[in-house]
Every structure is written in C-alpha cells, then in structure tokens.
C-alpha cells in the first residue's frame, strides 16, 4: 500500500471516530471541518522512520546502557529527516552525555501502532534481550480510533508489567495533546484535545500503579507545539520535526535519568586542565 492511500485511511478513520463522539446536532459542522483538515494535510511522510538503532557514543568507556523505545510513530521517530534527530537517538545521546557511557538503542516502536500493539512489539524482541530502561510513547492512534480509555490503559499496564519482570525501568510519555494539530479546525480540534487529555490522565495513573514513571507530554511540550507549530512539526504538520523531537527528548530525559540512577548514577564532568 502506498503512503498516500495509507494517509487517507488514517485521516478518514480519525474523522469518523471523532464525528461519532459528538452529538447529532453538531456532526454536520464536524464533517465539514474534517474535510477542511484533509485538504490542509501536507506531504505524507510514509511509514518508515529513519533507522537509528546503533550504539551511540561508542567511544565512551563501559558496557553500553540498553535503551528500548516502544509505541507509535513518535517513539519510532517519524518526521525526523536524520537518524540522529529521532526521539530514540536524542535520548541515547543525552544519556551518554550525562552518564558518560555508550548507549545501545533498540527501537521496537511501529508507525501507526495503538496500545494493543505493545504486546506484539515485546514479543518481537530477542529472548535474551534485557533493556535497562524502556521509554513508551503511545496513545494518539487510540484516540483517533476511539479505543476505550480503560482498554488502552490495560494494554499499557500489561506492557509495563512485562518490562518490569525483565528488570527494566520504564518511563511513559503520556498521550500528546491532539489539540496542537493545526490542520484540524475547531471544534474538531478541541474534541481531540479533550479525548487525548482523558487518555493521558489514565496512562499516568496506570504507569504509577504498575511501577513506571510518567511524563505528561501535554504539559511538558504541548504549549510550545501549539505556539510554534512551524518549528515543532515536520512537513506533514502531524509528526514532530527535529526540533520537536529534541524538545520531547528534553522533557523525558529527567525521568529516564532518575529511573536509571540506582544502577547508573550521573557522573560529574571530568575537570578541565587549568591553564599554566
């Protein structure tokens, strides 16, 4: 299937889901606005994010820290033009810089995934693989496909429990604010914002109960995506740009470092030689 038909199906599914969520009296308005949103969509990015899996900062001393990315297109890095600008690469470089150790990135996230796909992403990992920390970003597709919040949260909980049983620390970036998508007019955009906020709150609760750390992407980076859409979004105006991924990685980094701190404490920078 080509990228253009795929994008059309995604948009059509989003429109249908959100239309069903509004009262009958308002559906005609929402349908008209959905048609406007379809016309505003930029060039599709396809289905494949840049391949960023590798050991980052190999020249540093020590055994590489194992970092796993799970979830949807944001976790995969769709929208970044270079592998070093994907979310996984940004996190890997940041961890290596703070911990002075190499980081081996493994990206199991798949573009278009809902929370129900987390189990398959874990199943696809090698049996011997043991991540030190896993970062999960998922939820946008659950909202657009109108998956019940309780069902989405249950899938997230199951994934966290599996990861914790492997000895991994887990950080969840909760569902981004779909109200930041400027190609979607009002009131359709406001509806998406409300639904994504409901899911993000449920994800945060599920993460806490299951022993993971949660980072609210809506609060941490949502405002800058809304105020600076040209800089934060890529060409399709749906996925983050290189700068958008940098901001998202910066928001997640403190929680990832905190999760790793018992085994990998932050090392101070080596002293610079004093001039004679």
């Amino acid at each position: 299937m080509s990228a253009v038909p795929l994008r059309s199906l995604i948009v059509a599914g989003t429109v249908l889901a959100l239309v069903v969520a509004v009262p009958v009296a308002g559906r005609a308005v929402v349908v008209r606005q959905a048609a406007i949103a379809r016309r505003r969509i930029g060039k599709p990015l396809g289905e494949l994010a840049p391949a960023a899996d590798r050991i980052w900062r190999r020249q540093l001393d020590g055994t590489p820290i194992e970092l796993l990315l799970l979830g949807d297109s944001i976790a995969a890095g769709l929208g970044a033009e270079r592998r070093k600008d994907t979310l996984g690469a940004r996190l890997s470089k940041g961890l290596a810089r703070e911990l002075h150790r190499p980081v081996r990135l493994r990206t199991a996230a798949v573009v278009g995934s809902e929370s129900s796909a987390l189990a398959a992403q874990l199943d696809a990992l090698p049996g011997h693989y043991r991540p030190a920390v896993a970062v999960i970003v998922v939820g946008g597709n659950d909202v657009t496909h109108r998956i019940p919040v309780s069902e989405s949260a249950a899938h997230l909980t199951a994934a966290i429990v599996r990861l914790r049983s492997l000895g991994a620390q887990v950080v969840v970036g909760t569902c981004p604010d779909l109200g930041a998508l400027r190609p979607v007019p009002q009131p359709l955009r406001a509806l998406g914002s409300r639904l994504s906020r409901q899911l993000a709150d449920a994800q945060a609760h599920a993460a806490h109960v299951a022993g993971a750390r949660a980072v609210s992407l809506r609060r941490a980076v949502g405002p800058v995506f809304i105020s600076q859409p040209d800089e934060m979004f890529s060409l399709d105006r749906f996925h983050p740009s290189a700068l958008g991924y940098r901001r998202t990685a910066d928001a997640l980094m403190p929680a990832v470092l905190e999760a790793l701190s018992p085994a990998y404490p932050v090392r101070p920078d080596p002293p610079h030689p004093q001039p004679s």
Side-chain angles (χ1 to χ4, degrees):
M1 180 181 294
S2 67
V4 174
L6 176 65
R7 174 65 63 186
S8 298
L9 288 174
I10 292 173
V11 174
T14 302
V15 170
L16 177 61
L18 295 180
V19 168
V20 170
V22 300
V24 174
R27 290 181 187 174
V29 173
V30 172
V31 168
R32 287 197 300 271
Q33 293 185 338
I36 294 172
R38 287 196 299 270
R39 290 196 298 269
R40 291 178 178 175
I41 293 172
K43 182 180 179 180
L45 297 171
E47 304 173 59
L48 297 177
D53 287 6
R54 53 170 286 189
I55 298 178
W56 292 88
R57 302 296 187 259
R58 186 186 295 269
Q59 73 276 13
L60 296 174
D61 295 331
T63 303
I65 298 170
E66 300 288 344
L67 169 63
L68 174 65
L69 269 290
L70 295 166
D72 56 24
S73 55
I74 293 178
L78 188 65
E81 296 182 3
R82 302 173 296 181
R83 65 181 182 179
K84 69 178 184 179
D85 293 325
T86 62
L87 179 61
R90 289 284 186 186
L91 288 171
S92 297
K93 292 184 291 183
L95 285 176
R97 181 176 60 252
E98 294 294 332
L99 302 179
H100 302 283
R101 298 180 67 118
V103 176
R104 181 184 285 110
L105 172 65
R106 183 184 292 270
T107 306
V110 178
V111 174
S113 290
E114 301 170 4
S115 298
S116 59
L118 293 173
Q121 292 176 16
L122 288 170
D123 290 342
L125 296 173
H128 60 81
Y129 179 64
R130 296 293 183 271
V133 62
V135 175
I136 303 174
V137 181
V138 73
N141 295 308
D142 295 67
V143 173
T144 60
H145 296 157
R146 295 295 288 131
I147 305 300
V149 169
S150 59
E151 182 178 329
S152 298
H155 287 301
L156 177 62
T157 297
I160 295 171
V161 169
R162 286 183 63 178
L163 287 163
R164 297 291 290 139
S165 72
L166 296 176
Q169 299 295 323
V170 183
V171 174
V172 176
T174 59
C175 183
D177 184 4
L178 298 189
L181 299 177
R182 288 294 183 89
V184 180
Q186 299 288 13
L188 188 61
R189 194 190 325 155
L191 177 60
S193 180
R194 176 171 62 83
L195 296 175
S196 58
R197 183 169 60 251
Q198 291 173 351
L199 177 56
D201 290 344
Q203 289 176 324
H205 177 73
H208 176 74
V209 171
R213 290 168 172 81
V215 176
S216 172
L217 296 181
R218 176 178 62 85
R219 287 195 292 267
V221 297
V224 71
F225 272 77
I226 292 174
S227 64
Q228 301 177 38
D230 293 340
E231 292 83 7
M232 294 299 113
F233 284 102
S234 61
L235 291 177
D236 71 349
R237 294 184 287 176
F238 273 77
H239 296 92
S241 63
L243 181 56
Y245 278 120
R246 189 178 81 183
R247 287 296 192 99
T248 303
D250 288 346
L252 292 166
M253 185 61 65
V256 177
L257 286 170
E258 183 182 16
L260 286 171
S261 61
Y264 302 97
V266 175
R267 301 179 187 175
D269 291 328
H272 295 289
Q274 297 296 320
S276 57

